[in-house]
Amino acid sequence: MRVHTEQTSEGSRLEPAQLRHVLGHFCTGIAVITAREDGREPVGFTCQSFVSLSLAPPLVSFSVSRFSRSWPGIQRAGRFCANILSAGQEQLCRRFAATDGDRFAGVEWRASPATGSPRLAGALAWVDCTIEAVYPGGDHRIAVGRVQDLGVTPDEPDPLLFYLARYHRAAPTTPNGPAPTP
């Protein structure tokens, strides 16, 4: 894999490790993006770049490495399910982040309602999509999905979070009520 060293506007060198360190201070949730081509084994990968993109039309986005072995199957399928992981799913997260082995071995899942993509048991929420567009993004691809169906787990467990290269759980909620909508 090629790593570039970029120049900032002031002419100093921007090292990839510095970028990773600084951006690691942005806490993210974690999703497992899954798909299943007709007649093939399911594919999936751990993703911390899953985001809401638009309410009208309903769009989401995620980034995937150009070197991902799962992405070609997801792209050929033309659809995917974003499984938003709950706090108790760290091992599942690690399994789908691994570069070898059968990621689905022993994993409980069922076909999502709209696209038939794997919906993982125990996920906090799921978003079932068709691929709307794919754009180049440096050493990644940026995929845009049109939401076809979605839902949350009835008991709404806490999310699995990633911050400074470690897994975390959400802090208890405050008695002041929900946070304001940005």
Side-chain angles (χ1 to χ4, degrees):
M1 177 165 91
R2 249 178 94 192
V3 178
H4 294 19
T5 301
E6 299 290 333
Q7 295 249 344
T8 65
S9 58
E10 294 84 32
S12 62
R13 292 190 153 299
L14 180 64
E15 298 293 331
Q18 179 188 16
L19 183 65
R20 182 180 298 235
H21 173 71
V22 171
L23 294 180
H25 285 77
F26 181 66
C27 183
T28 65
I30 303 173
V32 171
I33 307 296
T34 60
R36 186 171 186 205
E37 289 182 79
D38 296 329
R40 294 207 166 181
E41 292 298 314
V43 294
F45 68 94
T46 296
C47 178
Q48 76 180 86
S49 63
F50 176 73
V51 296
S52 171
L53 184 61
S54 169
L55 296 177
L59 300 174
V60 295
S61 177
F62 66 87
S63 297
V64 58
S65 169
R66 287 187 302 134
F67 307 104
S68 169
R69 293 188 317 201
S70 297
W71 173 246
I74 295 167
Q75 189 170 30
R76 284 190 305 267
R79 56 193 181 265
F80 64 91
C81 185
N83 297 271
I84 300 169
L85 299 186
S86 64
Q89 294 184 299
E90 182 178 332
Q91 291 302 343
L92 186 69
C93 176
R94 290 179 187 279
R95 172 186 286 251
F96 279 88
T99 56
D100 57 352
D102 181 356
R103 294 176 176 165
F104 282 88
V107 172
E108 185 181 339
W109 65 275
R110 65 178 188 215
S112 61
T115 70
S117 299
R119 183 173 148 197
L120 304 178
L124 169 63
W126 52 272
V127 184
D128 205 14
C129 303
T130 52
I131 295 175
E132 182 88 359
V134 180
Y135 302 100
D139 60 0
H140 280 64
R141 290 183 177 91
I142 303 163
V144 175
R146 181 176 290 264
V147 178
Q148 302 298 318
D149 199 4
L150 69 168
V152 295
T153 301
D155 60 351
E156 295 189 33
D158 288 334
L160 181 61
L161 302 175
F162 198 68
Y163 176 71
L164 289 176
R166 292 191 319 256
Y167 298 102
H168 295 269
R169 292 177 182 255
T173 56
T174 63
N176 298 336
T181 302

